[in-house]
Amino acid sequence: MEGGNSPGVQLQQLPLATAAVSVQPHTDSFSYKENLIGALLAIFGHLVSSIALNLQKYSHIRLAGSKDPRAYFRTKTWWSGLVLLVLGELGVFSSYAFAPLSLIVPLSAVSVVASAIIGIIFIKEKWKPKEFLRRYVLSFVGCGLAVVGTYLLVTFGPNSHEKMTAENITRHLVSWPFLLYTLVEIIVFCLLLYFYKERNANYIVIILLLVALLGSMTVVTVKAVAGMVLVSIQGSLQLDSPIFYIMLVCMAATAVYQATFLAQASQLYDSAQISSIGYILSTTAAISAGATFYLDFMGEDVLHICMFALGCLIAFLGVFLITRNRKKPVPFEPYISMDAMPGMQNMHDKGVAVQPELKASFSYGALESHDSAPEIYAPATLPIVQEQHGPRGASAPPYRVLEHSKKE
């Protein structure tokens, strides 16, 4: 009996072991497929959004001199850009439902690369090949590094997948790692807001850190909302849970305040600096939030984590090189320059004075010689009254001007 039972036990255990082994590769392949779908949706969304923004910008530039400030509403270009922008944002929103948060957030470098390529292709200036390579070599290197970093991110990204049900999101929301992370983030945010509002510390790092901290909460709530919508579409309704609407309200509120701080930063600093520094800070904060809330890197080996970090660093460097080569806008001068004074001919108006001429010449902080100037530019003089010695009863003139020669 013992000899007969032993083979029977072995035969009964073999199918179970085989089934346990065969399930794991199927799960891994399915999770990698979800990662690929999410990454492709994110890349497609950022690419389409970049094209849409450039289309709308082109429409605004074409109608810059129009008397109607809203003339672009009647152009097909602007509306095409709006439709593409909505399509791109939907693609990015959908990507959070498939792939981990830490994988989707760094892929926003695709929009920076796309904007750089569109700017180079549709450049309006005349250039020579040598000047083109000299001026845009950093952009080409940055685009290449961003592509390499994106490949590493997709290849070695975290492979954690969990159904975004209301129960799972609530469990993550009350976990002690996320509560501790939220407490630290609130303290840091309040300190930065105090220095920004009360101490007038308008440094770009402080403003973009505020944006990054708000953005980390935005992407956490976006993934929760997108995941619950996907689970509801698959048949398990999650939209009747209170946690769904809590996440929806938090997503809208943090997105609005994030846009407010970004608008304030754009008024003070160059858009290229905002793009590079904001991308680095926002991506770092979002990856930290995803690793804390959704446990994206739980169970990952050290090699995958190091390669993923290397991909982030390469993407950071690529975005920095792309934005570093952008032209800085010429600041508006709220004063009248010396060569644009009324009646003065200069190289900008090509000999035609835009402002009305005055019969005088003015100079602030400089001395000009009028020996060879035309008569209309001669300095105005007061009538000369010679000093006369009259009788004591005669009234003296109200003022006296002495004549001076040029030598004096």
Side-chain angles (χ1 to χ4, degrees), residues 111 113-114 134-135 150 163 174-175 210 227 239 250 255 258 269 328 359 363:
S111 62
V113 176
R134 179 176 57 85
R135 292 179 56 184
T150 302
K163 283 190 175 182
V174 298
S175 62
L210 293 171
L239 305 184
C250 292
Q258 185 180 357
Y269 297 98
K328 295 182 179 180
K359 303 298 182 180
S363 175

Side-chain angles (χ1 to χ4, degrees), residues 22-168:
S22 61
V23 168
Q24 188 64 28
H26 177 72
T27 304
D28 289 345
S29 62
F30 181 73
S31 60
Y32 279 119
K33 183 179 178 181
E34 285 189 334
N35 277 12
L36 183 60
I37 293 175
L40 291 178
L41 283 174
I43 292 173
F44 170 79
H46 288 301
L47 181 61
V48 173
S49 298
S50 179
I51 296 174
L53 292 175
N54 281 277
L55 282 176
Q56 290 187 331
K57 183 178 180 180
Y58 175 73
S59 178
H60 284 282
I61 292 175
R62 285 186 59 189
L63 301 173
S66 177
K67 296 181 180 180
D68 187 3
R70 297 185 178 181
Y72 54 87
F73 282 149
R74 295 189 292 270
T75 61
K76 296 180 180 179
T77 306
W78 190 87
W79 284 105
S80 300
L82 181 62
V83 172
L84 289 177
L85 182 62
V86 173
L87 181 62
E89 292 301 325
L90 285 177
V92 177
F93 178 81
S94 303
S95 65
Y96 285 97
F98 292 93
L101 174 62
S102 301
L103 172 61
I104 299 300
V105 172
L107 295 180
S108 58
V110 175
S111 62
V112 181
V113 176
S115 298
I117 294 175
I118 292 173
I120 292 175
I121 293 176
F122 295 99
I123 188 171
K124 300 296 182 180
E125 301 176 353
K126 296 180 180 179
W127 44 265
K128 298 179 181 179
K130 293 182 179 179
E131 295 179 356
F132 182 80
L133 292 176
R134 179 176 57 85
R135 292 179 56 184
Y136 295 100
V137 63
L138 289 180
S139 295
F140 285 123
V141 174
C143 290
L145 290 176
V147 171
V148 172
T150 302
Y151 173 77
L152 292 177
L153 291 173
V154 175
T155 305
F156 297 97
N159 198 29
S160 60
H161 293 273
E162 182 183 15
K163 283 190 175 182
M164 292 293 100
T165 60
E167 181 181 358
N168 291 334

Side-chain angles (χ1 to χ4, degrees), residues 60-313:
H60 284 282
I61 292 175
R62 285 186 59 189
L63 301 173
S66 177
K67 296 181 180 180
D68 187 3
R70 297 185 178 181
Y72 54 87
F73 282 149
R74 295 189 292 270
T75 61
K76 296 180 180 179
T77 306
W78 190 87
W79 284 105
S80 300
L82 181 62
V83 172
L84 289 177
L85 182 62
V86 173
L87 181 62
E89 292 301 325
L90 285 177
V92 177
F93 178 81
S94 303
S95 65
Y96 285 97
F98 292 93
L101 174 62
S102 301
L103 172 61
I104 299 300
V105 172
L107 295 180
S108 58
V110 175
S111 62
V112 181
V113 176
S115 298
I117 294 175
I118 292 173
I120 292 175
I121 293 176
F122 295 99
I123 188 171
K124 300 296 182 180
E125 301 176 353
K126 296 180 180 179
W127 44 265
K128 298 179 181 179
K130 293 182 179 179
E131 295 179 356
F132 182 80
L133 292 176
R134 179 176 57 85
R135 292 179 56 184
Y136 295 100
V137 63
L138 289 180
S139 295
F140 285 123
V141 174
C143 290
L145 290 176
V147 171
V148 172
T150 302
Y151 173 77
L152 292 177
L153 291 173
V154 175
T155 305
F156 297 97
N159 198 29
S160 60
H161 293 273
E162 182 183 15
K163 283 190 175 182
M164 292 293 100
T165 60
E167 181 181 358
N168 291 334
I169 293 175
T170 305
R171 177 170 52 84
H172 288 303
L173 192 63
V174 298
S175 62
W176 70 265
F178 182 71
L179 292 177
L180 181 61
Y181 175 83
T182 305
L183 178 62
V184 173
E185 185 171 293
I186 291 175
I187 294 174
V188 174
F189 183 84
C190 292
L191 289 175
L192 292 174
L193 190 63
Y194 169 77
F195 284 107
Y196 176 62
K197 294 293 185 180
E198 300 296 332
R199 300 291 183 177
N200 294 324
N202 298 327
Y203 301 107
I204 186 172
V205 176
I206 291 180
I207 301 176
L208 294 182
L209 271 175
L210 293 171
V211 174
L213 294 177
L214 289 172
S216 63
M217 292 294 103
T218 303
V219 293
V220 166
T221 53
V222 165
K223 180 171 178 58
V225 172
M228 294 178 75
V229 170
L230 179 62
V231 172
S232 300
I233 293 175
Q234 291 175 350
S236 179
L237 183 62
Q238 303 292 324
L239 305 184
D240 57 348
S241 176
I243 193 64
F244 173 79
Y245 297 97
I246 292 175
M247 289 293 182
L248 187 63
V249 171
C250 292
M251 179 185 71
T254 53
V256 169
Y257 282 107
Q258 185 180 357
T260 302
F261 284 113
L262 275 177
Q264 295 176 5
S266 63
Q267 296 176 359
L268 298 175
Y269 297 98
D270 183 24
S271 60
Q273 294 179 340
I274 296 174
S275 299
S276 60
I277 300 176
Y279 171 74
I280 295 173
L281 295 178
S282 298
T283 302
T284 304
I287 291 176
S288 302
T292 307
F293 187 86
Y294 294 108
L295 305 177
D296 287 343
F297 297 96
M298 181 67 68
E300 296 289 337
D301 55 1
V302 179
L303 177 61
H304 279 72
I305 295 177
C306 292
M307 294 301 294
F308 179 81
L310 179 62
C312 289
L313 293 177

Side-chain angles (χ1 to χ4, degrees), residues 344 361 363 366-374 377-379 406:
M344 296 295 292
S361 176
S363 175
L367 298 176
E368 298 180 359
S369 176
H370 300 281
D371 293 341
S372 60
Y377 296 126
K406 290 185 178 180

